[in-house]
Amino acid sequence: MTNTDHRPLAEPVSLREMPDAAIAMIDAKGTVVGWTQAAQELVGYSPRELVGRSIAHLLPSSDDALRASAYAEEFRAQGDWSGTVAVRHRDGHTLTMALRISSLGGRNASTRWLVSVTDIGSLSLGAANGPVRESLLARTPIGIAVHDPQLRCAWVNDAMERHDGVPRHRRFGRHLQDTLPAVEAEALEVVMQHVLESGITTVHEFRAWPPADKRREHAYSVTFFSLQGADDTPLGVCSMTVDVTGNRRARERLAILSEAGTRIGSSLDLMQTGQELAELAVPLLADHVVVDLVESVPFGVEPSARIDTTTDRPPLLRRAGVASIDTDLLEMPWMRKEVIRPFPTSLFATALRTGRSYLEPVLDTHSGPWVTQDPARTQLVRDSGIHSFMVVPIRARRCVLGLAVFGRSVERTPFQEDDLLLAEELVTRAALSLDNALRYARERAAALTLQRDLLPHRVQGGAAVEVATRYVPADMDHGVGGDWFDVIELSGARVALVVGDVVGHGINAASTMGRLRTAVRTLADLELPPDELLAHLDDTVRRLNDEDADMFDQVPAEVSATCLYAVYNPVTRRCTMARAGHPPPLIVDAQGQVTIPDLPAGAPLGLGLGLVPFESVELELPEGSLLAFYSDGLVESRDEDIDVGLDRLGAALAQPGASPEDLCSRVMESLPTQSPADDVTLLLARTRALQPAQVASWDLPNELATVSTARQLAARQLSEWGLEPLVTPMELIVSELVTNAIRHCDGPSRLRLIQHRVLTCEVSDTNASHPRRGHPRPLDEHGRGLYLVSRLSRRWGSRSGADGKVVWAEQDLPSTAGAV
């Protein structure tokens, strides 16, 4: 026979799993001495054609016949054998068969072989393969016996003694009634007689207590075949007995594992995963289950791969899951999230330290270390009736994440090795989910920390706006996103309001958000109009994409983002804004009327659509108007249309007289869920207006005599505001700025003083060129003006104006002065 795989027979399969098995009996020389009807149907040969001939007649070639004798010697050494063979059908074609050969002993130490051949094509994939099945199906051998036409035992294998405890020498020449209980033997002999007379293969099932395991009843399946000789007369009956108790238990365990695939790890919540493991195992495997995680794990901190053995203190545990058939036990408030302190010498501490499972088939709670170490819990275990338990470490990547403890009380059968095998398989699946959740929690915590560090910790609107903000990160399943907001104080009491959203989630989105927020602040310092700022920001995002594309060792991730940028001027009460694919703001007036400005959408940043210009819109806002900037996570969800979200937001904001802080809280309370699928960002700004008395301005002719006049005007205005300590430095600043305007432009200039949180001096002219501060040498006669301005002011700069530029400088107000 052609052998493609051979190994010692380790896991016989019930014949009920192979209904098309063909049975033949051969003697020590390889000659067929018995044939079955199933064998004739499978390979086409009748008993008359094959009985008395060598089994090699079924092999496809002579080479196979030569190898058959070599394998026969191996059969004799091993006793049993299984493998895959090629068998020649009577019509000439070749079949690939699963072969099992079992050694039978007779009187005077004679030997015969029972051959079982099954067409592999008839086996289901689940029966023929699968490591889970191999690890769980009971490894119970097949008991084989051959009885003569008078139903006396003539041949038997060693496995039969394991089933019924009857030694081989007590069987030969005897009926079943001479060796087995009368009721059982009588039923079996009735079946055997029927098979002998009819030739029909019959399966009979019964229950018995085997000598090797008298604690529980086993289920057996016996298949009876009629062995026929060359003249088609029955030579006897062959019985093949399989202990199917293990197989049934294995099928139950396979069903549990199948259910585990859908019930364990349904979310990335570590505590929920522990609870799912506990609830699955009760009552399918145990009556009581607790799952304890190392205390740092629920907080996203991975425990050390090596537990410190220099101290006697094992790590603290936190109860993540508990399930029990005792509902009173589940109602105890300390069961979930309780902190557990394992005793150093307990099995729990040992399992944490070694990472090995422990099985206590019979638990003694009346003596030994259990009583002295933890009397309270020992009494609880004793009251629950737990008599058998298992401790299984939860391991992932060489780290012990916790323990799963299984106990039985109502089920009287103690835990056995196959129960421990199943428990370990369940815990392994839970460990994979826990490890995934732990990795996610660690990454999410890092992303949250990064995002919160990159977002502004405190926002101030100065004299321009009263602001309030809210930020809620995405839920556990979606991760932290790339939302950001900012409030940037500009010159002239103006303020920039920004909200943006980087597409994607996780650390990459958070870090990209930080880079874009920094870029916006840098561009805002250049005093660019909103549409120009977004154009420059779009260039920045596209450069980031180009840099990522040049990194050959990584798969480039295209960066895309949306942004809304607005500048509000409290002097003019005008707001200029532009957006790049971001939702438009909501504007609420003092009476609670909500409007959405007609603001061109613009293309999202980084999509390569820079040829389409961004457009700014300027609005005049009454004092006390509320501007609401938000991310799409606030108004969009899978369950409702964006219009619904906008209506909800508008209704929450339409509260005249409420402060921005109170309105933020009201908006967040109106959200349909507290676990949003995307980051939620809200920035509210209530506009203020500077009073006319806080602003003074003068038009100046383009002549040098104007410089002295400008100094006098500024000094008189500061005296009216009560800012006499600032007169001298402000005269010098005005003198330098007005002088530069007269020297470098042909048209008139304008001087403006603004008193708000600081004192601002602005000089505007018709020259679009911006000044640059030089570094004059000691003997230089010119170039010291802006240097002097920078030394006298808290900060200075310039910005583009409608017909030229504006150069400005700020001074801190005296501590005794206040805004008008």
Side-chain angles (χ1 to χ4, degrees):
M1 284 172 280
T2 301
N3 177 64
T4 58
D5 175 35
H6 66 281
R7 59 190 184 277
L9 186 61
E11 186 193 346
V13 179
S14 167
L15 292 180
R16 292 174 63 85
E17 297 175 349
M18 296 191 300
D20 55 349
I23 304 298
M25 190 174 182
I26 60 176
D27 62 17
K29 297 180 179 180
T31 302
V32 178
V33 296
W35 198 244
T36 63
Q37 183 64 33
Q40 178 176 344
E41 294 173 356
L42 185 62
V43 297
Y45 292 96
S46 66
R48 191 181 301 274
E49 294 173 302
L50 204 58
V51 172
R53 304 181 66 177
S54 172
I55 193 69
H57 185 72
L58 295 175
L59 304 181
S61 67
S62 58
D63 292 338
D64 295 323
L66 293 176
R67 282 194 292 269
S69 59
Y71 287 129
E73 295 300 324
E74 185 177 352
F75 303 162
R76 294 187 181 94
Q78 294 180 355
D80 293 330
W81 184 90
S82 65
T84 304
V85 298
V87 175
R88 183 178 61 193
H89 193 273
R90 188 175 185 277
D91 61 13
H93 73 275
T94 301
L95 301 172
T96 301
M97 299 288 187
L99 175 70
R100 294 177 181 272
I101 300 179
S102 301
S103 173
L104 302 179
R107 288 182 175 178
N108 303 321
S110 57
T111 302
R112 285 192 176 179
W113 306 90
L114 196 75
V115 180
S116 172
V117 181
T118 306
D119 185 356
I120 289 180
S122 68
L123 291 177
S124 66
L125 182 61
N129 202 353
V132 174
R133 181 180 186 279
E134 291 181 4
S135 66
L136 291 178
L137 286 178
R139 290 164 169 76
T140 306
I142 299 177
I144 303 174
V146 178
H147 295 76
D148 62 19
Q150 286 73 43
L151 304 184
R152 295 171 298 192
C153 181
W155 306 91
V156 69
N157 71 344
D158 295 334
M160 276 302 300
E161 185 175 349
R162 304 178 201 175
H163 293 312
D164 56 21
V166 179
R168 177 183 300 195
H169 67 276
R170 289 182 50 195
R171 297 178 184 271
F172 296 133
R174 298 183 179 181
H175 293 84
L176 290 177
Q177 296 185 16
D178 299 330
T179 56
L180 296 178
V183 175
E184 179 182 316
E186 182 178 356
L188 293 175
E189 286 193 349
V190 169
V191 176
M192 292 170 62
Q193 186 64 42
H194 173 74
V195 172
L196 189 66
E197 295 173 355
S198 66
I200 300 174
T201 300
T202 303
V203 177
H204 179 75
E205 294 185 352
F206 66 95
R207 293 182 175 273
W209 283 262
D213 185 11
K214 295 182 179 180
R215 294 175 300 178
R216 62 174 178 171
E217 188 180 47
H218 284 228
Y220 294 95
S221 176
V222 187
T223 305
F224 295 97
F225 302 88
S226 173
L227 288 173
Q228 296 176 312
D231 55 358
D232 291 333
T233 58
L235 298 178
V237 178
C238 173
S239 67
M240 305 183 74
T241 305
V242 179
D243 186 340
V244 296
T245 306
N247 285 13
R248 291 179 178 176
R249 290 168 58 83
R251 291 188 182 96
E252 295 172 357
R253 283 153 171 70
L254 288 173
I256 295 175
L257 290 179
S258 177
E259 192 169 356
T262 59
R263 290 180 55 181
I264 297 179
S266 62
S267 74
L268 291 172
D269 187 295
L270 290 151
M271 299 292 281
Q272 181 176 337
T273 301
Q275 182 64 25
E276 289 169 348
L277 170 60
E279 291 178 351
L280 174 66
V282 175
L284 298 178
L285 176 61
D287 297 327
H288 317 278
V289 176
V290 294
V291 179
D292 298 331
L293 300 178
V294 174
E295 191 178 29
S296 63
V297 170
F299 301 99
V301 179
E302 183 176 286
S304 172
R306 300 181 63 183
I307 295 178
D308 187 4
T309 58
T310 61
T311 67
D312 294 333
R313 297 191 302 272
L316 297 179
L317 303 174
R318 185 172 295 273
R319 185 137 297 166
V322 56
S324 174
I325 59 174
D326 185 353
T327 56
D328 294 336
L329 186 65
L330 296 177
E331 293 174 357
M332 294 184 178
W334 50 264
M335 288 300 292
R336 285 296 305 277
K337 300 184 180 180
E338 178 195 14
V339 175
I340 311 297
R341 294 173 172 81
F343 282 87
T345 58
S346 67
L347 276 181
F348 308 112
T350 305
L352 286 170
R353 186 175 62 255
T354 64
R356 292 197 300 268
S357 301
Y358 289 88
L359 169 64
E360 286 281 339
V362 180
L363 178 62
D364 185 3
T365 58
H366 296 280
S367 61
W370 282 87
V371 179
T372 58
Q373 288 177 351
D374 195 347
R377 283 194 174 84
T378 300
Q379 185 60 44
L380 180 63
V381 172
R382 188 182 299 127
D383 294 343
S384 69
I386 294 176
H387 59 83
S388 182
F389 89 114
M390 302 180 292
V391 180
V392 181
I394 305 172
R395 296 177 55 88
R397 291 184 293 115
R398 296 180 297 176
C399 294
V400 178
L401 304 182
L403 299 174
V405 182
F406 305 80
R408 277 183 177 171
S409 57
V410 175
E411 170 61 52
R412 303 312 305 170
T413 303
F415 285 123
Q416 300 179 17
E417 289 295 335
D418 57 344
D419 296 311
L420 182 61
L421 183 66
L422 175 60
E424 289 176 335
E425 185 73 26
L426 289 176
V427 170
T428 297
R429 299 194 177 200
L432 291 175
S433 298
L434 287 170
D435 188 45
N436 289 336
L438 183 60
R439 291 189 183 192
Y440 174 78
R442 186 169 59 249
E443 180 178 339
R444 185 174 189 269
L448 269 176
T449 302
L450 176 62
Q451 188 174 47
R452 286 171 176 166
D453 286 345
L454 294 174
L455 287 173
H457 297 281
R458 184 169 62 97
V459 292
Q460 298 183 82
V465 292
E466 178 189 2
V467 296
T469 62
R470 289 292 187 275
Y471 166 72
V472 179
D475 63 17
M476 290 291 290
D477 293 331
H478 294 82
V480 177
D483 285 13
W484 90 89
F485 61 89
D486 213 341
V487 179
I488 308 169
E489 294 187 64
L490 304 176
S491 63
R494 298 170 307 131
V495 67
L497 304 167
V498 191
V499 64
D501 184 4
V502 176
V503 176
H505 295 87
I507 290 180
N508 290 338
S511 61
T512 301
M513 174 273 291
R515 298 163 79 179
L516 295 186
R517 176 173 177 256
T518 301
V520 170
R521 278 192 159 262
T522 302
L523 294 170
D525 287 342
L526 299 178
E527 304 276 4
L528 297 175
D531 54 344
E532 293 185 26
L533 183 141
L534 290 180
H536 284 286
L537 189 61
D538 183 51
D539 291 338
T540 300
V541 175
R542 284 189 282 126
R543 280 197 299 271
L544 292 176
N545 287 332
D546 292 340
E547 291 173 3
D548 291 341
D550 293 337
M551 300 175 66
F552 297 105
D553 59 334
Q554 298 182 13
V555 178
E558 290 290 325
V559 175
S560 179
T562 64
C563 184
L564 173 61
Y565 184 82
V567 175
Y568 174 70
N569 189 339
V571 177
T572 63
R573 292 185 289 105
R574 300 191 73 83
C575 182
T576 306
M577 60 182 69
R579 61 182 177 130
H582 202 83
L586 267 61
I587 301 177
V588 186
D589 62 20
Q591 290 72 41
Q593 184 68 32
V594 180
T595 59
I596 299 177
D598 186 11
L599 182 61
L605 305 171
L607 298 185
L609 302 178
L611 296 177
V612 180
F614 299 101
E615 297 183 49
S616 292
V617 171
E618 188 176 66
L619 306 171
E620 184 173 348
L621 301 176
E623 183 179 0
S625 298
L626 183 73
L627 292 168
F629 300 86
Y630 53 91
S631 63
D632 54 6
L634 184 67
V635 295
E636 291 184 6
S637 70
R638 294 184 298 266
D639 302 325
E640 64 181 21
D641 188 75
I642 186 173
D643 291 337
V644 177
L646 287 173
D647 291 342
R648 183 181 63 249
L649 175 59
L653 295 176
Q655 304 295 320
S659 68
E661 190 66 34
D662 291 340
L663 289 175
C664 274
S665 299
R666 183 180 178 88
V667 169
M668 302 312 293
E669 291 171 358
S670 70
L671 291 178
T673 174
Q674 298 303 312
S675 298
D678 196 3
D679 284 10
V680 170
T681 302
L682 177 64
L683 169 62
L684 298 183
R686 173 154 288 149
T687 64
R688 294 167 174 160
L690 294 185
Q691 300 303 314
Q694 294 178 260
V695 182
S697 61
W698 304 272
D699 292 325
L700 304 174
N702 188 27
E703 53 189 42
L704 289 177
T706 302
V707 177
S708 176
T709 303
R711 285 199 302 266
Q712 295 173 6
L713 293 172
R716 185 167 56 247
Q717 184 63 54
L718 293 185
S719 297
E720 291 180 6
W721 285 340
L723 302 177
E724 286 84 357
L726 299 181
V727 169
T728 299
M730 183 55 67
E731 285 182 326
L732 293 173
I733 291 173
V734 168
S735 178
E736 294 298 332
L737 296 184
V738 173
T739 298
N740 283 343
I742 293 173
R743 284 179 177 176
H744 298 291
C745 69
D746 298 330
S749 58
R750 185 177 181 82
L751 171 64
R752 185 168 70 166
L753 298 179
I754 306 173
Q755 181 199 12
H756 50 108
R757 292 201 313 137
V758 296
L759 177 63
T760 301
C761 172
E762 296 181 348
V763 176
S764 57
D765 58 48
T766 57
N767 190 337
S769 299
H770 291 259
R772 291 184 299 175
R773 194 187 78 177
H775 299 279
R777 290 171 294 187
L779 299 180
D780 289 344
E781 297 182 2
H782 303 285
R784 301 180 186 277
L786 292 180
Y787 175 77
L788 181 62
V789 170
S790 68
R791 296 298 300 270
L792 294 174
S793 60
R794 66 190 296 267
R795 65 173 186 155
W796 75 279
S798 64
R799 65 178 183 269
S800 297
D803 300 316
K805 68 177 181 296
V806 178
V807 183
W808 55 269
E810 293 178 350
Q811 283 190 297
D812 290 319
L813 298 176
S815 57
T816 57
V820 175

